[in-house]
Amino acid sequence: MTRKSCALYTTGIVCAHLLTVGIGLLLAQVFPTLMHSRLKKEITLTEGSRVFESWKNPPPPVYMQYYFYNVTNPEEFLAGGRAAVTQMGPYTYREYRPRENVTFVENGTKVSAYSPKTFVFERDMSAGDPEVDLVTIVNIPAVAVMNKVKGSFWTSSMVSIWMKSLGVGLFMTRPVHELLWGFKDPLLTRLRASKPEIHEYFGLMYKKNGSLDNHFVFLTGESDSLDYTKVVAWNGESRLTWWSSNQSNMINGTDGSTFHPLLSRKERLDVFSPDLCRSIYMEYIEDVEVKGIPAYRFAPPREVLASAEENPANAGFCVTTGNCLGTGVLDVSVCRDGAPVIVSFPHFYLGDRKYVQAIDGLSPNQEDHQTYLDINPTTGIPVRASKRAQINILLERISGFPATKYLNRTIFPVMFINESVVIDDASSMKMKKLLLIEKLVSNFPLLIIGLGVIMLLVFIILVFRFHQQKKNTKHNAAYTPVNYKTEDPAESDLTLPLKNGSHIGMSTVDGEKS
């Protein structure tokens, strides 16, 4: 066997092996399976894991924006007209949320931690000064007191006279800073004299700056990657007690900051929100990209806050039978000490039009008011998110309070928040590096197949050249017949003329003659 034949056969054998091995690995999904198994082991809440430290101290900056609805015609509304509001804000605060008192429990299958939040004002990202800007909103402490005594006409009448003597009405005007972080309310201060358990300070975020009021127990995901960071207990309870059905009282999903790796578009993501006093779910919307990182966008559908008539699964959230609200709003008074607090999405986005039409100045839209999570499906880490929620107060006529006699039953907006985060550059570089490694390893069989295809092309070229060379060799070997008969020299001399070089004649030289 010649060298050329040996090279030809060797190339063919290598090509066949590369294609066979590559296609076999591709069909068997060996490398993606190995990579995914590695990811599931790395993405767990265990000491030394790739994600544990970033889970304890999230690196991307989180910003909390507060928007207030300033009431421009309170007198007209009290007289039976429709309220008009203007949106003020945002008042932006940097949110720091390291987890504290992190402790592994139950042989490391669960981890216990507090989730405090600390807020620092960001003037450059705000539309005004919270200590200067005045806002007129519903007087929430006054409405709460009115609802506490509304069952007795006599008590209501006495409280109404007392509130009027204090100059307390249905609306109040205060600086944004006080409305957020607290002020000494005159009505609550008077009530505290007879009921010490009542706080004399009121603020929408009162005692929430740095407080340890949210204690969670999470699953580490070590036993099952699908359980990664799922909440199994909150403030010592494995289920809620406010709602009227077992399904409504369930604590489902994570806290929204992390999810299990290898997400699917078909999944429904459960999130437990203490602010909403319940669990909600999100569904896939579309593919997006954030800083070069691929992500799936998930958002809560209309069914999450739909009425019991529209979504029977929500019947358990209607605690007061016969007084259930419509789509897009949720009565959370059961977890707000009886205060008539209603939550919704900003501007009643995804809610019934009647709530929007009851207030002048509202214009819901998806871009500004949708809650969403953009999650990298490989790691399960949100790379961009926006949590938006609105606080409303239910205003209606209450017997014994003359100030309410002309009111139309209205869910009155007070404030909405936008808690947002975008992955920082350092974290995005780390994630892109991880995703690149995962992609290269998972696509290694394609690399082998590619090499096999290249070798196949080389093999085809060698075969072509081999056959071409063989053909040329045969062509050069073609010949004409030759006469091998030996000629007689004598005969040749007689018949053929002499030629130079064929015969040398010797003659006598003159010198020799003499």
Side-chain angles (χ1 to χ4, degrees), residues 24-58:
L25 291 174
L26 182 64
L27 294 176
Q29 293 291 296
V30 174
F31 282 90
T33 301
L34 291 174
M35 191 64 193
H36 292 169
S37 297
R38 182 65 179 174
L39 276 173
K40 291 176 182 179
K41 290 181 180 179
E42 285 290 335
I43 302 180
T44 57
L45 295 183
T46 52
E47 289 284 2
S49 70
R50 187 181 295 271
V51 297
F52 184 62
E53 286 302 321
S54 61
W55 177 80
K56 286 172 56 178
N57 296 285

Side-chain angles (χ1 to χ4, degrees), residues 123-397:
R123 189 173 299 277
D124 294 339
M125 301 176 66
S126 301
D129 188 340
E131 296 188 0
V132 175
D133 295 352
L134 298 176
V135 179
T136 299
I137 66 168
V138 174
N139 191 333
I140 299 177
V143 176
V145 171
M146 292 163 61
N147 276 270
K148 282 285 187 180
V149 300
K150 67 179 181 180
S152 169
F153 177 78
W154 172 252
T155 305
S156 297
S157 300
M158 295 300 295
V159 172
S160 176
I161 296 172
W162 178 55
M163 289 174 57
K164 189 174 182 180
S165 67
L166 295 175
V168 176
L170 280 178
F171 292 92
M172 62 179 174
T173 301
R174 291 278 182 174
V176 169
H177 181 80
E178 290 186 1
L179 293 175
L180 282 175
W181 309 111
F183 64 94
K184 193 173 183 180
D185 184 78
L187 179 60
L188 297 178
T189 301
R190 295 296 183 91
L191 287 173
R192 183 177 172 81
S194 58
K195 294 186 177 182
E197 69 275 11
I198 294 178
H199 293 288
E200 59 183 339
Y201 285 86
F202 169 80
L204 294 167
M205 296 293 293
Y206 179 59
K207 286 190 173 182
K208 291 186 178 181
N209 196 350
S211 64
L212 297 175
D213 57 351
N214 282 317
H215 176 250
F216 293 90
V217 176
F218 304 91
L219 291 174
T220 62
E222 193 171 13
S223 301
D224 187 345
S225 63
L226 295 178
D227 292 334
Y228 173 65
T229 66
K230 279 188 176 180
V231 180
V232 293
W234 174 70
N235 289 345
E237 302 292 339
S238 59
R239 62 189 304 275
L240 307 176
T241 58
W242 300 308
W243 311 110
S244 60
S245 71
N246 291 330
Q247 181 180 355
S248 300
N249 281 317
M250 292 177 64
I251 296 177
N252 297 323
T254 72
D255 64 353
S257 62
T258 49
F259 296 88
H260 69 81
L262 306 176
L263 283 175
S264 166
R265 294 181 180 89
K266 298 180 180 179
E267 287 190 62
R268 193 183 85 168
L269 301 184
D270 292 311
V271 176
F272 172 65
S273 174
D275 295 331
L276 298 178
C277 306
R278 58 165 289 189
S279 299
I280 64 171
Y281 62 88
M282 299 187 176
E283 295 178 346
Y284 169 80
I285 301 297
E286 60 181 344
D287 281 26
V288 296
E289 186 176 286
V290 181
K291 293 187 177 182
I293 300 172
Y296 296 162
R297 173 161 292 187
F298 286 82
R302 176 183 169 93
E303 290 74 21
V304 169
L305 294 182
S307 64
E309 290 77 13
E310 187 175 331
N311 182 9
N314 286 341
F317 296 111
C318 180
V319 177
T320 307
T321 306
N323 195 28
C324 298
L325 302 175
T327 293
V329 294
L330 175 67
D331 184 352
V332 294
S333 58
V334 292
C335 58
R336 293 291 186 269
D337 297 324
V341 178
I342 311 293
V343 295
S344 67
F345 295 120
H347 289 244
F348 299 108
Y349 173 69
L350 296 181
D352 288 342
R353 289 297 301 174
K354 63 182 180 181
Y355 300 126
V356 180
Q357 295 169 352
I359 306 289
D360 287 337
L362 301 182
S363 56
N365 65 83
Q366 177 177 315
E367 182 179 357
D368 297 324
H369 306 136
Q370 181 188 53
T371 290
Y372 65 85
L373 291 171
D374 294 339
I375 307 171
N376 175 253
T378 302
T379 62
I381 297 174
V383 292
R384 181 172 57 195
S386 188
K387 171 187 171 184
R388 292 157 170 159
Q390 180 171 294
I391 296 175
N392 313 277
I393 297 296
L394 177 61
L395 294 180
E396 58 185 345
R397 298 174 187 174

Side-chain angles (χ1 to χ4, degrees), residues 69-133:
Y69 295 102
N70 182 52
V71 185
T72 59
N73 62 341
E75 293 81 9
E76 183 178 343
F77 175 73
L78 292 175
R82 184 164 62 177
V85 298
T86 57
Q87 180 175 296
M88 294 180 62
Y91 300 94
T92 305
Y93 293 78
R94 171 75 183 273
E95 182 179 320
Y96 296 88
R97 47 196 307 176
R99 302 184 194 275
E100 298 184 2
N101 298 340
V102 178
T103 307
F104 289 96
V105 296
E106 297 190 20
N107 297 323
T109 60
K110 298 177 183 178
V111 59
S112 166
Y114 284 93
S115 298
K117 297 179 181 180
T118 304
F119 302 90
V120 178
F121 181 61
E122 295 284 345
R123 189 173 299 277
D124 294 339
M125 301 176 66
S126 301
D129 188 340
E131 296 188 0
V132 175
D133 295 352

Side-chain angles (χ1 to χ4, degrees), residues 397-411:
R397 298 174 187 174
I398 300 177
S399 179
F401 288 93
T404 67
K405 66 179 180 179
Y406 296 115
L407 292 184
N408 296 313
R409 193 169 192 262
T410 305
I411 296 180

